[in-house]
Amino acid sequence: MSETKSTCCYCGVGCGVIIEHDGDQITGVRGDPDHPANFGRLCTKGSTLHLTAAPETLAVRAKVPQLRTTRDAARLPSDWDTALDHVAGRFADIIRTHGPDAVAFYGAGQLLTEDYYVFNKLAKGLIGTNNLDTNSRLCMSSAVAGYKLSLGADSPPCSYEDFDHAGCLFITGSNTAFAHPIAFRRVEDARKANPDMKLIVVDPRRTDTAEAADLFLPILPGTDIALYNAMLHVMLWEGWIDQAYVDAHTEGFDALKKLVRDYSPTSAADICGIPKADIEKAAEWFATSSATLSLYCQGLNQSSSGTHKNSALINLHLATGQIGRAGAGPFSLTGQPNAMGGREVGGLANLLSAHRDLANPEHRAEVAALWGIDDVPAEPGKSAVELFEAVKEGQIKAVWIACTNPAQSMPDQTLIHEALKTAELVVVQEAFEHTETCAYADVLLPATTWGEKNGTVTNSERRISRVQPGVAAPGEARHDWAIVCDFAQRLGHTLGKGALAERLFAYDGPEAIWNEHRESTRGRDLDITGLNYAMLETAGPQQWPYPEGATGGQVRLYEDGVFPTPSGKARFVVTEYKATAEKPSARYPLHLITGRLRDQWHGMSRTGLVARLYSHETEPLLHMHPDDLARRDLGNGDVIRVKSRQGSVVLKVLETDTVRPGQCFLPMHWGGNAMAGTLGVNALMPSAFDPYSKQPELKHAAAQVEKVTSGHPIVAMRRVDVTKENPYEVMARIRTRLAALPYASLTLAGRDVPVVMLQSRVEEHEPELINAIDAAFSLDDPTQALSYADPRRDIGKRARIDDDILTAVRLVGETKAAEWLAQLMTVGASAAPMRRWLLAPVTQPPEGGPTRGKVICNCFDISEDAIKAAFDAGESIEQLQARTKCGTNCGSCVPELRRLKNQYRLPA
Ligand SMILES: Nc1nc2c(c(=O)[nH]1)N[C@H]1C(S)=C(S)[C@@H](COP(=O)(O)OP(=O)(O)OC[C@H]3O[C@@H](n4cnc5c(=O)[nH]c(N)nc54)[C@H](O)[C@@H]3O)O[C@H]1N2
Ligand SMILES: Nc1nc2c(c(=O)[nH]1)N[C@H]1C(S)=C(S)[C@@H](COP(=O)(O)OP(=O)(O)OC[C@H]3O[C@@H](n4cnc5c(=O)[nH]c(N)nc54)[C@H](O)[C@@H]3O)O[C@H]1N2
Ligand code: SF4
Ligand SMILES: [Mo]
């Protein structure tokens, strides 16, 4: 057995992990006690990383290049030479005929810095197009634009250790407890050490993060700017402005002062739907605390006024001098593990290497000189939404997608799917071949992924960590940077620029690429010329800037009050409040919000492989307030159709008072794979975007909800013994048989033994469809199954027991027992005592069989019912933890334990 130090491939907290392996197979993972982001801790996702690399997951890995030469043909296994020569030939043809802007690249903040760097150089340096954008456009581009507008550079000024020095923490548009769990553990620690610290949380929903707040502001969605402007209004009125700081280090305050006169707390209370007194209290705590740190994420960025939301918040820091000191500053949390690294190398259609701007001719000349080429194209490239629009319009003929799944994650999925159908050539560079986007690939290039890759990433606090391989690539998969460099040289030769391409892409490994990137930062705000790979390995991860000769990275920026603007002063931005692009109307009365679940990652290509990561939220569910359900005569668990102006999806409804009446919440993870028959959640989202950052408004849509009453419910489930069968192959088989269903939810359940779960409605009694489902669930042999049929009532049921364990069930027409049957199956208890009840219409077996509610503590498998029972019996959180260990490992569920103990009510 060996161990390799690396970094978690999920969120921007950037936790260090130690990969346990035998050289061939990853066997375990634990937190790296020496890593300064997490000091040994991991959340539910990080601590199950090894399960995403279990032997059976090889079934869904992309392992060999695949190719089809005509659209109607099936993709066939190929080899690297054939696949890359084919793509080089097609790219060269298109570039020669239509110019370099007829091709485009769409990447991701999950690529390593080295991968990103060569993609950028391929597009902007060799081909001569700036059509290189990434999913960071959906994620961080408003934060980038906000920092640059207000402070002059895209450099988050804070660090995690600032949590320990803050007197007031202002968390807005961030569900830190779910999306940056280990950062939230550090916030919890800081509050324990400093009980006087005030925590303010701004979120339309009562999230687990909000549950922990001293002051919770459940603003109406999209109304942030009105709130921040009103807070500034109060600060001015009360004399809480740090005038000396404003005078010495900022400009533009007068124009802003004029604007915020109109934002009285009374008018903002009305716009935001919160009490005036709470706005005043928030302003007081923010302005008068010893140090105020704000943490923010997609609740600000993913908005049609995302840039100004960022700037309106930064305005508050500048006006009160809450910046450039320990514990103070505007701290944008990055989403993806290398969202920051992508920005460093200029991986967006409007950026260039080392925080340079494409629009700046000097910057273009500097990069051209660094690369040894004549020039970098001046014409800005297309941003994500514009890029896919251009693909659909036929302006862009070939699109190369790497490390992202736009056929799930982009807004307006109808447009995206049409674009991918229209494109002349779609190249997909992926680690897992079961994503929605792979279905459109003409060429699928298999990439290595976490556990196999080698390079660096930068986390939210500007800290660069090494990513190192424990095991070899599966099949013929190659590293992303290597695929790009190989392709670049082939394309160069085809285009008659062979010598140039060979020179530009002559790297013998990721370190050579990183060293070139390092050189590009010399003298810039993110200067890392004092670092090298060996240092990152021996001295550990380091923060930038870290120029040559420095003895350490910089923990905090702007301590001297000098900002990277022409005048050296930070800028107040006049930020006017504008409503979300989509507003509820009589026809679409609900404000739909999207966001994240604790245990799933984006389109679920990785977390969706791990059965236990479904136990916290088992299936696609629309979260709705009880009043809204009652108004529509809906009950918890009813099947509904959600419609927006863009599209519709069918799923179940979850009754919850964590959203206010008039709003509803949909997790962003469920795509067309999990919600078969639909285009997934983002079928509903509009592609309106912020004018400065071009980041789409993925958080907000107007929606209506109606009950689906046609047809009969069907539930089918099957326990998969991974030593005999592959669960993902079982799911794939089921998926191919689902074509006849109008919609279906296809998920996993269970813990050590996965259970495949299908839920849908069949329009009428369709024996062929039901036979097909029975076949997929191993229920087609009547001699092997218990059955019950009442054709006149359209009820039919089957159950199968193998070795005294319930292994498969299918219920049509009447599905009351589905929940406890699933429980019985996942637990794998003896089916004998339940045998008489397996096909009965009972929500609970009379013997009091297993029902437990959702699993709250994933580490120790402890359910909501058990926790509620303990609290009902008078146990404290500490007593529960002492007895069951609940929440004592990764701690991800501690906020939820607190919520169950102490419910907070939202205003109507
Ligand atoms: N578990 C998990 N963690 C993740 C990820 C994941 O997929 N799963 N993805 C990572 C990535 S890439 C990202 S970008 C981050 C995202 O991290 P976050 O932004 O923290 O997560 P979200 O749940 O998308 O949105 C945060 C909150 O914004 C609130 N919100 C919605 N509209 C508004 C508004 O108008 N104003 C305010 N103030 N709040 C609003 C939502 O209710 C939600 O609770 O998470 C990272 N971490
Ligand atoms: N409605 C709504 N939509 C949203 C959001 C929201 O809040 N609401 N959030 C948006 C945000 S912030 C983000 S960041 C996006 C995320 O959206 P995506 O970028 O689509 O998210 P992932 O599913 O993480 O896609 C990454 C893909 O890369 C593959 N992969 C993993 N490792 C590697 C590797 O090393 N190399 C290669 N080549 N491939 C690899 C994975 O299998 C996966 O398919 O979603 C956005 N969409
Ligand atoms: S908080 Fe969780 S998901 Fe994020 S880096 Fe750490 S272990 Fe990974
Ligand atoms: Mo993101």
Side-chain angles (χ1 to χ4, degrees):
M1 294 304 282
S2 343
E3 294 188 335
T4 304
K5 280 194 177 206
S6 191
T7 310
C8 176
C9 61
Y10 295 121
C11 84
V13 177
C15 298
V17 298
I18 294 176
I19 306 173
E20 302 162 352
H21 60 89
D22 60 12
D24 292 324
Q25 183 60 49
I26 293 174
T27 51
V29 66
R30 61 197 163 81
D32 179 353
D34 299 326
H35 196 289
N38 58 318
F39 299 106
R41 288 160 156 177
L42 294 177
C43 75
T44 41
K45 294 179 297 301
S47 58
T48 47
L49 265 172
H50 59 295
L51 301 176
T52 70
E56 61 271 19
T57 62
L58 205 57
V60 286
R61 285 298 299 277
K63 295 177 286 288
V64 292
Q66 294 174 20
L67 176 64
R68 65 176 173 204
T69 42
T70 60
R71 257 301 147 85
D72 309 324
R75 233 175 21 229
L76 297 174
S78 177
D79 56 73
W80 281 106
D81 281 336
T82 312
L84 290 182
D85 281 340
H86 173 77
V87 180
R90 295 292 305 275
F91 262 62
D93 279 349
I94 292 170
I95 291 166
R96 272 195 221 104
T97 318
H98 304 282
D101 288 336
V103 301
F105 298 86
Y106 183 60
Q110 295 170 64
L111 290 166
L112 308 186
T113 301
E114 295 75 3
D115 303 331
Y116 241 120
Y117 186 87
V118 290
F119 259 119
N120 214 31
K121 198 175 186 184
L122 166 63
K124 299 172 186 173
L126 181 70
I127 297 177
T129 178
N130 290 315
N131 283 340
L132 176 133
D133 217 48
T134 72
N135 67 359
S136 283
R137 186 69 65 185
L138 316 183
C139 183
M140 302 314 300
S141 59
S142 293
V144 174
Y147 273 138
K148 286 169 80 166
L149 200 58
S150 294
L151 305 181
D154 174 25
S155 305
C158 314
S159 292
Y160 299 144
E161 66 174 69
D162 283 316
F163 301 163
D164 302 330
H165 305 292
C168 172
L169 209 55
F170 188 79
I171 301 185
T172 176
S174 152
N175 186 5
T176 328
F178 276 20
H180 296 92
I182 298 303
F184 201 65
R185 298 288 85 73
R186 293 185 64 165
V187 167
E188 288 170 339
D189 291 348
R191 292 180 86 199
K192 232 174 260 165
N194 173 14
D196 293 334
M197 185 204 284
K198 298 281 193 266
L199 175 61
I200 307 172
V201 174
V202 185
D203 195 305
R205 299 186 304 130
R206 196 188 69 229
T207 59
D208 280 10
T209 310
E211 205 67 54
D214 298 302
L215 177 62
F216 169 39
L217 306 175
I219 57 165
L220 293 172
T223 62
D224 295 78
I225 294 179
L227 170 68
Y228 310 150
N229 285 356
M231 285 169 65
L232 187 57
H233 180 111
V234 175
M235 292 168 185
L236 281 160
W237 180 260
E238 297 290 345
W240 289 329
I241 302 298
D242 184 342
Q243 197 60 46
Y245 191 89
V246 171
D247 292 342
H249 305 298
T250 71
E251 57 197 18
F253 196 40
D254 288 340
L256 180 62
K257 261 165 58 182
K258 223 175 273 163
L259 174 85
V260 302
R261 251 186 240 145
D262 294 339
Y263 291 82
S264 70
T266 313
S267 73
D270 197 38
I271 297 172
C272 303
I274 54 171
K276 171 176 170 254
D278 288 354
I279 299 176
E280 292 163 345
K281 178 60 69 187
E284 181 187 344
W285 287 358
F286 192 113
T288 64
S289 97
S290 55
T292 297
L293 186 71
S294 47
L295 303 182
Y296 51 102
C297 203
Q298 299 313 331
L300 267 58
N301 298 349
Q302 284 169 346
S303 156
S304 52
S305 44
T307 303
H308 277 186
K309 278 191 181 187
N310 274 265
S311 285
L313 180 62
I314 298 174
N315 283 343
L316 297 180
H317 284 276
L318 294 175
T320 52
Q322 296 284 16
I323 185 168
R325 290 187 283 117
F331 193 176
S332 146
L333 296 172
T334 48
Q336 299 173 91
N338 201 30
M340 186 82 73
R343 290 143 75 174
E344 291 160 14
V345 301
L348 281 172
N350 54 321
L351 300 180
L352 281 173
S353 302
H355 287 177
R356 289 180 175 87
D357 278 319
L358 198 69
N360 182 328
E362 277 169 37
H363 286 182
R364 288 201 304 275
E366 284 166 15
V367 171
L370 274 164
W371 286 345
I373 56 174
D374 296 340
D375 49 29
V376 175
E379 176 81 3
K382 296 225 180 319
S383 74
V385 170
E386 299 167 313
L387 190 156
F388 283 97
E389 277 169 356
V391 172
K392 192 193 151 210
E393 300 303 325
Q395 275 166 273
I396 292 176
K397 318 261 175 217
V399 59
W400 183 313
I401 297 163
C403 201
T404 177
N405 182 16
Q408 190 276 332
S409 54
M410 286 283 293
D412 194 359
Q413 280 297 311
T414 310
L415 167 86
I416 302 299
H417 285 251
E418 277 174 21
L420 292 172
K421 271 180 220 157
T422 315
E424 284 179 20
L425 180 67
V426 177
V427 180
V428 180
Q429 185 168 325
E430 244 295 341
F432 293 89
E433 65 179 11
H434 64 312
T435 73
E436 288 83 352
T437 305
C438 287
Y440 291 97
D442 298 307
V443 183
L444 180 65
L445 303 175
T448 54
T449 184
W450 178 86
E452 302 145 11
K453 293 187 73 149
N454 191 357
T456 57
V457 290
T458 312
N459 74 3
S460 291
E461 59 168 1
R462 294 172 277 108
R463 191 178 292 282
I464 303 172
S465 296
R466 285 279 281 122
V467 168
Q468 300 194 82
V471 296
E476 290 173 32
R478 294 174 70 183
H479 299 311
D480 287 296
W481 68 265
I483 298 171
V484 174
C485 293
D486 187 349
F487 169 76
Q489 304 201 8
R490 289 170 202 256
L491 179 70
H493 281 287
T494 321
L495 285 173
K497 299 197 262 187
L500 175 69
E502 268 174 36
R503 177 167 62 73
L504 291 184
F505 294 92
Y507 303 109
D508 57 2
E511 188 168 7
I513 303 172
W514 191 82
N515 289 345
E516 185 177 313
H517 157 60
R518 178 181 63 187
E519 194 48 39
S520 77
T521 69
R522 188 176 291 278
R524 307 227 10 112
D525 68 323
L526 73 168
D527 193 326
I528 51 167
T529 47
L531 286 174
N532 57 55
Y533 263 26
M535 246 180 97
L536 293 172
E537 285 155 27
T538 51
Q542 302 295 330
Q543 287 180 286
W544 62 250
Y546 197 125
E548 209 166 2
T551 50
Q554 207 168 316
V555 177
R556 213 161 286 114
L557 307 181
Y558 314 136
E559 282 177 304
D560 55 1
V562 177
F563 292 87
T565 55
S567 63
K569 292 183 172 190
R571 295 181 284 237
F572 282 102
V573 179
V574 176
T575 49
E576 222 169 312
Y577 161 68
K578 289 194 193 75
T580 53
E582 285 233 359
K583 290 168 257 326
S585 62
R587 184 123 189 259
Y588 298 100
L590 291 165
H591 193 123
L592 171 71
I593 305 170
T594 67
R596 280 151 177 84
L597 295 175
R598 192 190 72 186
D599 292 353
Q600 293 294 355
W601 178 261
H602 297 164
M604 300 164 59
S605 67
R606 188 189 294 277
T607 50
L609 304 175
V610 182
R612 74 178 62 166
L613 292 180
Y614 290 82
S615 56
H616 195 243
E617 186 137 329
T618 54
E619 63 194 290
L621 294 169
L622 181 78
H623 300 208
M624 252 172 106
H625 191 272
D627 291 355
D628 281 323
L629 292 187
R631 200 165 291 136
R632 291 168 179 78
D633 198 22
L634 288 169
N636 187 32
D638 279 353
V639 176
I640 49 157
R641 178 178 300 278
V642 191
K643 270 194 202 156
S644 75
R645 297 183 180 104
Q646 273 64 42
S648 76
V649 293
V650 177
L651 75 168
K652 280 195 209 162
V653 69
L654 172 77
E655 177 174 341
T656 170
D657 63 359
T658 55
V659 290
R660 290 170 72 161
Q663 299 172 16
C664 53
F665 173 74
L666 191 49
M668 52 92 51
H669 308 287
W670 313 106
N673 278 348
M675 297 172 98
T678 77
L679 297 180
V681 169
N682 280 324
L684 299 169
M685 305 317 284
S687 54
F689 54 71
D690 177 86
Y692 306 96
S693 67
K694 302 198 174 176
Q695 176 159 354
E697 185 153 81
L698 283 159
K699 282 265 168 290
H700 307 286
Q704 56 158 278
V705 161
E706 65 193 25
K707 193 168 180 167
V708 173
T709 49
S710 64
H712 308 284
I714 177 163
V715 176
M717 46 188 129
R718 176 155 179 264
R719 203 176 143 87
V720 183
D721 178 349
V722 293
T723 61
K724 298 191 184 120
E725 243 187 322
N726 189 291
Y728 316 117
E729 285 168 0
V730 172
M731 286 177 102
R733 271 205 302 280
I734 294 169
R735 216 169 269 128
T736 58
R737 291 189 161 117
L738 293 181
L741 290 170
Y743 87 92
S745 138
L746 186 64
T747 53
L748 286 175
R751 194 167 171 85
D752 298 323
V753 181
V755 169
V756 176
M757 182 80 70
L758 167 72
Q759 305 181 70
S760 182
R761 288 178 82 87
V762 279
E763 283 305 321
E764 52 203 74
H765 197 75
E766 294 172 278
E768 271 170 35
L769 183 57
I770 292 171
N771 288 344
I773 290 172
D774 282 350
F777 283 80
S778 284
L779 285 162
D780 47 339
D781 180 354
T783 66
Q784 298 266 15
L786 307 172
S787 12
Y788 169 86
D790 183 348
R792 285 177 55 192
R793 291 197 297 143
D794 284 320
I795 294 174
K797 304 185 182 188
R798 277 192 182 178
R800 177 172 171 154
I801 296 171
D802 294 292
D803 301 328
D804 193 32
I805 288 177
L806 182 65
T807 56
V809 169
R810 181 263 296 160
L811 312 171
V812 180
E814 188 283 301
T815 60
K816 282 185 188 146
E819 207 171 304
W820 69 266
L821 288 173
Q823 208 59 62
L824 182 63
M825 195 180 286
T826 53
V827 172
S830 165
M834 300 292 157
R835 200 177 170 97
R836 301 192 307 122
W837 300 102
L838 295 178
L839 303 179
V842 288
T843 46
Q844 230 164 1
E847 276 97 301
T851 57
R852 8 187 268 149
K854 71 171 179 174
V855 174
I856 304 285
C857 172
N858 227 326
C859 298
F860 297 108
D861 198 23
I862 299 171
S863 75
E864 183 164 7
D865 288 5
I867 293 166
K868 281 183 174 159
F871 291 161
D872 285 347
E875 247 180 16
S876 67
I877 292 180
E878 293 70 26
Q879 285 165 329
L880 172 75
Q881 292 186 318
R883 183 170 59 81
T884 63
K885 299 215 282 203
C886 182
T888 56
N889 183 40
C890 79
S892 294
C893 64
V894 171
E896 202 160 4
L897 290 182
R898 236 171 254 135
R899 174 167 65 73
L900 291 171
K901 188 84 192 163
N902 174 28
Q903 295 253 340
Y904 179 107
R905 290 204 59 81
L906 279 168

